[in-house]
Amino acid sequence: MFNVDKIREDFPILKREVHGKPLVYFDNAATSQTPQVVIDAIVDYYSNYNANIHRGVHTLSQEATDKYEEARIKIQHHFNAKQPYEIILTAGTTHAINMVASGFETLLQKGDELIVSALEHHSNIVPWQMLCEKTGAVLKVIPMTGDGVLDMKTYHKLLNKNTKLVFCNHVSNALGTINPIEEIIEAAHKVNAAVLIDGAQATPHIKPDVQALDVDFYVASAHKLCGPTGVGLLYGKQEWLEKLPPYQGGGEMIATVSFEKTTYAGLPHKFEAGTPNICGGIAFGVALDYMNSVGFKQIASYENELLEYATEKLLQIEGLKIFGTSKNKTAVISFNVGAIHPYDIGAILDKLGIAVRTGHHCAQPIMDYFQIPGTVRASFSFYNTKHEIEIFIDALKRAVSMLS
Ligand SMILES: *Cc1c(COP(=O)(O)O)cnc(C)c1O
């Protein structure tokens, strides 16, 4: 049974106050809060077995290596990858996308086409633009419609024999739209294009099955999944990871090194140069265990209740407009009230203990589409409550009356 009061006990930060008011944390799309089990795993690592991995003969190093590789297997099972070495531990989503983009440099030629969606986070736009500059490939955009949904008719028309890669987020961080990635992947494969899905915003709510999706690359960040910052994953199909050259040179990613010739290590080490975020990787595994113990079905259905409740209450506020009204969305609400600048609303909400995000949410093309400088974004997690939404609505009404 889903018991939010009991779940809240797992998150020490939810007990703190901000400006003398109980914290209401509605910035979950930027980063999630950390349960005690994950904090304990971090403390345990540094208290009991902090050591460098893979090379050590001593006990601490072996313990750390075992735990780190256990975490990789937890991640493999969570995403249902076929092999553990198809999971590359990265510094996060941005790092993972840059790895793939850089790898494709040697595989593209002038005139090749890449397709991006209009709903992307900057981290799934800029690395590809840099790749296009280097290779002469051309970037095409799947447009969106007024409700923040991708125009799939145009997508199908953009695909052709020159299309080499398609990249799209599973869920938009700015609007919450859940994109039809199954259709995107299937259509891309018909023209032999590879697909990278940015799952940073989807993975806190949805448990993806990379084999069922038949996706080529899937990336995500631990810190949006109740894990620590600075760690994430690149899932890649074995055949693709073997085809791509390594991203960085250094220790750990080699088989043999001499000044005449270096040969690279096999997967996953080929992509994991240097000492990784060992503690972060282990804590990521613990965070996944925690989320799975709560249950992704329960998480999604409870968050959906919060989304409907908040949407209904917000729409009663005069002049309030919600951006992103897809029927298929996660618990993210982007909005503005009349001509009030989002930053002003966010600053007043903060004084009342409420954390929301304001601005372009690293998705300026979406803001340009709506011709707005930004939005206020409230994003809910399974540890939020309807009572918090009521506090937020009252505070928002106060802010609006002060600012208009
Ligand atoms: C947060 C986010 C990113 C960036 O993740 P980092 O952890 O900052 O690398 C990329 N794409 C989407 C959709 C996001 O929500």
Side-chain angles (χ1 to χ4, degrees), residues 93-94 121 123 171 173 198 200-201 221 223-224:
T93 300
T94 305
H121 188 284
S123 68
V171 168
N173 66 299
D198 168 358
Q201 204 58 232
S221 295
H223 71 90
K224 292 183 182 172

Side-chain angles (χ1 to χ4, degrees), residues 45-121:
Y45 171 79
Y46 284 110
S47 308
N48 293 311
Y49 62 98
N50 176 27
N52 212 334
I53 51 171
H54 293 145
R55 288 173 288 249
V57 63
H58 60 83
T59 302
L60 262 54
S61 172
Q62 282 172 12
E63 283 179 13
T65 304
D66 289 349
K67 291 265 195 197
Y68 192 69
E69 291 307 319
E70 254 171 47
R72 191 191 308 278
I73 288 168
K74 283 180 188 176
I75 299 166
Q76 176 207 352
H77 290 159
H78 182 78
F79 289 90
N80 193 31
K82 206 183 277 173
Q83 304 293 349
Y85 50 77
E86 291 178 317
I87 302 295
I88 310 298
L89 284 152
T90 68
T93 300
T94 305
H95 182 213
I97 295 171
N98 276 282
M99 269 183 175
V100 178
S102 141
F104 265 88
E105 204 177 315
T106 53
L107 304 178
L108 293 182
Q109 6 181 355
K110 209 168 178 231
D112 282 344
E113 294 179 7
L114 311 182
I115 298 180
V116 63
S117 103
L119 284 172
E120 295 316 295
H121 188 284

Side-chain angles (χ1 to χ4, degrees), residues 22-39:
L23 166 69
V24 172
Y25 186 77
F26 284 172
D27 194 18
N28 294 287
T31 202
S32 54
Q33 292 306 341
T34 318
Q36 189 65 48
V37 279
V38 173
I39 299 169

